[in-house]
Amino acid sequence: MTTLSTIPSQLNVGLMGLGVVGTGVASILLNKQESLAGVTGRPVNLKKVLVRDLTRPRVIDLPDDLLTTNAEDILADPDIHILVEVMGGVDPAESYMKQGLAAGKHVVTANKEVMAKSGPELLALARKNEASLLFEASVGGGIPIVGCLMNELAANDVISIRGIINGTTNYILTAMAQHGTSFQQALGEAQSHGYAEADPTNDIEGIDAAYKLTILASLAYRSRFQPDDVYREGISKLEPQDFQYAQELGFAIKSLAIANLEEGAVQLRVYPALLPTEHMLAKVDGVYNAVEIDGSLCGQVLFHGMGAGREPTTSAVVGDLIEAARKMGAQHASPLYINEGTTNVPVRSIDDLESRYYIRLAVADRPGVLAKIAKVLGDGQISIASVLQKDVHPETESAELVITTHPAKEAPVQKALQAIAGLEEVRRVSNTLRIEE
Ligand SMILES: NC(=O)c1ccc[n+]([C@@H]2O[C@H](COP(=O)([O-])OP(=O)(O)OC[C@H]3O[C@@H](n4cnc5c(N)ncnc54)[C@H](OP(=O)(O)O)[C@@H]3O)[C@@H](O)[C@H]2O)c1
């Protein structure tokens, strides 16, 4: 634990991980020493770097004695004041963070999974040990959203958060919208450009976005949420026609992460949705991220920028490192950012969502089909806003119907969709998407 009387004349950093992000951080620590000393008030020295494989070729030249495969070289060194965890994964990253905090080291992390699952415990440990735990890079890469929710926007009651917080899915959806490509083609392209991993599940199924939304919502509502509280749908069911019809109706399709407070409960959801093309978030393309916060005092604030990649993420990690360095010796515990107990703001079920819907159906090309579908919807108190009839396929005698609804409750809509799928004239309920206003 650092006290005023023990503020070191030089700050030593232990870096855990030398991959995409770690290399960027190491490069700044080695090449920007003067500027770092200027903003932190003392020299900042990279003392040890933990990796898995010492023989792996590195894109950065480091002094030979800097690399280690032994975490104890960082954790057990009392002269290392700040631990930067950019290894990823839960095990052993979380345990190293805990050991670092328990030893009074300040910890900076980019690890969304650990922060989403165990952030409150880690923050409690940081408070207990009068250490900082900073995690700006865990959401939105170079976009300063975490710090803003903790500090600059903290006076607000947050009404809603809406964001595009996964660059890989946004890249895929942009390619599908702009080039009419299939999901598989767009995913292959994202992989060949290095935007998607060999196993893209976490991105395309919304798991990564759910981790990030959990972190943002926990900060915004000062409550404890878990990734499992997030209702989640992936993007793999989208087809090129959805983008074409959405465009005809005046909408873009984006994978959105949404948290909103209604009647004292928070609803958390990640899914592809239709957004009016003139909406700011509809214009966020490619690997870019954006987050819109609606606050009781600040109104709507939009953050936009590069949500991943070496340099943007390094910007967030080194920014946190500077903050931790500046706080050293301040002799106060970390503020309470999240309620560290169990959830105190209830989570609202997706069944209670009220939304407009886009429904695409393959139906028999016969008179009276639309009337039957309209009756099922009407029975569920769901009123139709518009209907497009598309692509009659003579060989299968089927047509495509695209229906948009006025606002309706999720549970009756799902029930009506089941009934519609059971109609003899309906070949397939091809897709159902929610429409965000
Ligand atoms: N990449 C991005 O754009 C980005 C953006 C925002 C947040 N993040 C987060 O930043 C973190 C790091 O991501 P990354 O893309 O930099 O990962 P990465 O390229 O895979 O690098 C991981 C590094 O950690 C080391 N490592 C992993 N497990 C280890 C272990 N058990 N013991 C010792 N060293 C270990 C690896 O060592 P070797 O090199 O020897 O294999 C490697 O240097 C993750 O939490 C990620 O979610 C990344």
Side-chain angles (χ1 to χ4, degrees):
M1 193 177 307
T2 315
T3 62
L4 275 178
S5 56
T6 59
I7 301 175
S9 55
Q10 165 179 285
L11 287 179
N12 291 316
V13 176
L15 179 62
M16 294 188 154
L18 191 63
V20 175
V21 182
T23 302
V25 174
S27 161
I28 296 294
L29 291 177
L30 294 174
N31 299 318
K32 293 268 185 187
Q33 291 184 337
E34 205 175 314
S35 135
L36 284 172
V39 289
T40 61
R42 70 206 98 171
V44 179
N45 169 48
L46 179 58
K47 192 164 185 215
K48 260 311 168 228
V49 180
L50 177 73
V51 293
R52 218 170 359 200
D53 179 1
L54 287 176
T55 63
R56 171 172 291 198
R58 305 283 165 188
V59 293
I60 182 170
D61 271 338
L62 293 178
D64 284 345
D65 61 343
L66 222 53
L67 287 187
T68 180
T69 54
N70 183 1
E72 287 305 305
D73 287 348
I74 292 175
L75 296 170
D77 182 347
D79 290 332
I80 289 187
H81 312 102
I82 302 180
L83 187 166
V84 176
E85 185 281 311
V86 283
M87 297 162 52
V90 170
D91 185 29
E94 181 176 346
S95 144
Y96 292 168
M97 283 192 253
K98 281 185 176 158
Q99 288 177 62
L101 290 170
K105 295 186 196 306
H106 304 287
V107 172
V108 172
T109 181
N111 199 318
K112 64 212 98 173
E113 186 172 356
V114 166
M115 288 312 297
K117 291 177 176 168
S118 309
E121 285 82 20
L122 289 167
L123 283 161
L125 190 60
R127 283 158 52 77
K128 187 171 158 213
N129 290 283
E130 296 190 16
S132 295
L133 169 61
L134 298 163
F135 46 100
E136 182 62 67
S138 63
V139 186
I143 303 174
I145 178 74
V146 170
C148 275
L149 278 173
M150 286 176 184
N151 300 303
E152 287 79 7
L153 298 177
N156 288 267
D157 292 332
V158 174
I159 299 155
S160 69
I161 302 171
R162 285 201 291 189
I164 293 172
I165 51 178
N166 182 276
T168 306
T169 48
N170 204 43
Y171 178 89
I172 292 171
L173 298 185
T174 305
M176 291 180 78
Q178 292 181 352
H179 311 300
T181 42
S182 70
F183 168 75
Q184 281 305 336
Q185 264 176 302
L187 170 61
E189 243 175 67
Q191 284 169 323
S192 69
H193 284 95
Y195 296 141
E197 296 187 18
D199 177 0
T201 313
N202 268 10
D203 292 324
I204 63 175
E205 294 304 332
I207 298 167
D208 172 86
Y211 291 151
K212 293 168 178 170
L213 185 65
T214 302
I215 296 170
L216 294 182
S218 299
L219 291 171
Y221 299 107
R222 296 188 193 103
S223 191
R224 178 169 193 163
F225 301 111
Q226 287 286 348
D228 285 349
D229 293 328
V230 180
Y231 173 82
R232 197 164 48 73
E233 286 178 18
I235 60 164
S236 57
K237 63 180 181 176
L238 293 167
E239 294 178 305
Q241 304 93 293
D242 292 312
F243 292 85
Q244 185 194 324
Y245 303 151
Q247 205 174 13
E248 284 179 37
L249 292 161
F251 295 102
I253 300 178
K254 294 288 174 192
S255 179
L256 297 179
I258 304 170
N260 66 312
L261 183 69
E262 226 180 282
E263 294 169 17
V266 171
Q267 201 159 51
L268 302 166
R269 45 214 158 97
V270 170
Y271 48 55
L274 272 67
L275 261 183
T277 44
E278 67 274 12
H279 194 285
M280 302 277 261
L281 290 175
K283 301 179 205 296
V284 177
D285 284 335
V287 290
Y288 276 81
N289 280 196
V291 181
E292 177 198 84
I293 308 281
D294 193 357
S296 56
L297 301 170
C298 65
Q300 284 187 349
V301 178
L302 185 76
F303 298 79
H304 176 260
M306 288 189 277
R310 174 166 294 154
E311 281 80 17
T313 312
T314 295
S315 162
V317 171
V318 177
D320 275 354
L321 198 152
I322 291 168
E323 185 181 337
R326 284 173 170 164
K327 276 184 181 164
M328 279 181 74
Q331 279 193 320
H332 60 74
S334 284
L336 185 64
Y337 295 123
I338 297 175
N339 182 323
E340 287 150 9
T342 51
T343 301
N344 58 356
V345 178
V347 175
R348 207 174 157 88
S349 157
I350 189 73
D351 289 342
D352 295 335
L353 177 71
E354 189 173 86
S355 174
R356 292 186 59 206
Y357 292 81
Y358 156 104
I359 302 163
R360 177 161 67 87
L361 306 162
V363 299
D365 186 24
R366 278 184 232 155
V369 176
L370 181 57
K372 279 199 172 178
I373 293 167
K375 177 162 187 332
V376 175
L377 291 172
D379 288 348
Q381 307 297 312
I382 302 151
S383 82
I384 294 177
S386 71
V387 180
L388 292 178
Q389 178 162 347
K390 293 288 183 181
D391 293 333
V392 177
H393 302 293
E395 62 288 1
T396 58
E397 292 186 340
S398 74
E400 204 149 47
L401 272 187
V402 178
I403 296 171
T404 66
T405 73
H406 287 296
K409 285 267 184 178
E410 175 85 14
V413 168
Q414 293 302 338
K415 198 169 157 217
L417 285 169
Q418 273 181 13
I420 288 170
L423 291 175
E424 187 242 318
E425 294 85 349
V426 173
R427 309 257 194 266
R428 181 166 91 105
V429 178
S430 309
N431 227 332
T432 309
L433 298 167
R434 296 163 192 88
I435 301 175
E436 281 290 315
E437 299 300 344

